[in-house]
Amino acid sequence: MNAEFDGRTAVITGASRGIGRGIALELAQHGANVVVVYRAEEKLAKQVAAAVRTMGRKAMAVKCDVSIPEDVTELHDTVLAELGNADFIINNAGIHQHLKSWELSDEDWHRVMDVNITGTFLVSRAFIPHMMERKSGRIINISSCVAFTGTDHEVHYAASKGAVLGLTKSLALELAPYRINVNAIAPGYIETDMVVFEGVHDRESVIKGIPAHRLGQPEDIGRAARFLCSRDSEYITGQVIHVNGGLIMY
Ligand code: NAD
């Protein structure tokens, strides 16, 4: 039997580990070929690509710093030359930094903005003409629950993730006539290398505060991404799916 995403290609940034890896494996399980975009962790990225290949899909690991326009252009050219199409763009690469606002240097501010919002824009912009030409495509941007709640220890991160929502809605408006859907996922606490409890939160009290009484896993985000790539979400665009075990509700 054919899988739903047979012959489709997903380009997933920051896919060498964590949530990006979870999305890569989930989409591959449902038939997608996967481009594992990584900045530095070549070995891990190649492992994810190998895992995708064992499922019978095509996969490639491509080095690209999403904040560098030349890297993004090269990513676009490589993907289209090697795989021919790009159906799903998942803007997942992100960084954060636990500092109070008054401790942030100009450089700290710009680095987080460069990766989280500029990178999301650059990768989207690179692939939009290809998707417009084909009148088909899905873009999924990974935001965060802190875009809604704020946070008292990384204002630049929260601001960048709020900007991702503005970008998502605006791209959705522009691209709906071309049958390109653009949505965001706002994760709560997902158990990855990014979530550092020491010095900021106590792990057990965080879990107690989550109505589902567990941290999320990358697979939880993977399944939401799969839905947003599927035919079942054809009429959904410009929206945010909160995946957080009930932590916040909008
Ligand atoms: P992670 O740190 O494991 O993964 C982030 C990935 O992005 C890494 O592979 C990293 O190498 C990559 N990356 C960083 N800078 C990059 C750059 N300039 N170019 C290309 N890749 C780059 O963390 P994660 O939890 O898997 O985070 C994935 C996304 O989910 C991020 O956007 C993060 O902000 C968001 N998020 C995570 C949580 C959580 O609880 N884990 C909550 C809300 C949102």
Side-chain angles (χ1 to χ4, degrees):
M1 208 177 80
N2 287 349
E4 173 165 21
F5 300 144
D6 268 352
R8 307 291 191 85
T9 297
V11 179
I12 306 166
T13 68
S16 58
R17 66 183 201 204
I19 290 173
R21 178 177 180 278
I23 295 171
L25 298 181
E26 177 71 17
L27 297 186
Q29 246 157 33
H30 290 264
N33 301 322
V34 174
V35 180
V36 180
V37 183
Y38 70 96
R39 183 179 54 87
E41 297 170 328
E42 182 178 7
K43 195 169 163 205
L44 289 180
K46 286 188 169 165
Q47 282 170 4
V48 177
V52 168
R53 275 188 224 105
T54 62
M55 297 181 210
R57 322 299 177 206
K58 293 180 192 163
M60 57 195 292
V62 180
K63 185 174 167 65
C64 166
D65 182 327
V66 297
S67 68
I68 300 177
E70 294 76 15
D71 276 22
V72 174
T73 303
E74 208 174 311
L75 169 70
H76 165 270
D77 294 351
T78 306
V79 170
L80 296 193
E82 299 287 325
L83 296 172
N85 57 322
D87 301 275
F88 313 134
I89 304 298
I90 321 292
N91 287 304
N92 165 77
I95 54 172
H96 78 148
Q97 191 186 26
H98 287 171
L99 286 173
K100 294 287 187 186
S101 55
W102 55 90
E103 296 168 336
L104 290 178
S105 66
D106 292 355
E107 198 182 42
D108 293 331
W109 174 269
H110 287 300
R111 186 67 196 141
V112 164
M113 290 294 166
D114 286 351
V115 176
N116 295 4
I117 179 61
T118 306
T120 299
F121 168 67
L122 291 176
V123 176
S124 302
R125 185 182 65 179
F127 286 96
I128 283 170
H130 169 73
M131 291 180 158
M132 286 172 73
E133 210 172 288
R134 301 172 76 221
K135 283 210 161 32
S136 160
R138 304 286 171 94
I139 299 174
I140 300 170
N141 298 328
I142 306 300
S143 176
S144 169
C145 61
V146 301
F148 296 82
T149 60
T151 165
D152 65 2
H153 56 269
E154 43 187 356
V155 297
H156 52 346
Y157 178 76
S160 73
K161 292 298 185 178
V164 165
L165 299 179
L167 177 69
T168 300
K169 292 174 189 182
S170 304
L171 289 179
L173 280 173
E174 283 186 350
L175 299 175
Y178 298 92
R179 300 175 59 123
I180 301 165
N181 294 11
V182 189
N183 291 291
I185 296 172
Y189 284 103
I190 310 298
E191 201 160 18
T192 69
D193 293 349
M194 185 176 273
V195 176
V196 181
F197 292 101
E198 296 77 32
V200 186
H201 300 296
D202 161 52
R203 181 188 167 93
E204 291 318 310
S205 59
V206 166
I207 292 174
K208 269 195 200 130
I210 301 171
H213 285 155
R214 70 169 176 88
L215 298 172
Q217 296 301 317
E219 298 75 31
D220 291 305
I221 308 299
R223 286 189 287 271
R226 189 232 306 156
F227 170 68
L228 289 175
C229 290
S230 73
R231 276 188 295 272
D232 293 341
S233 61
E234 198 172 58
Y235 201 51
I236 298 175
T237 195
Q239 306 303 317
V240 186
I241 298 189
H242 293 267
V243 183
N244 59 31
L247 181 68
I248 60 163
M249 300 183 189
Y250 284 88

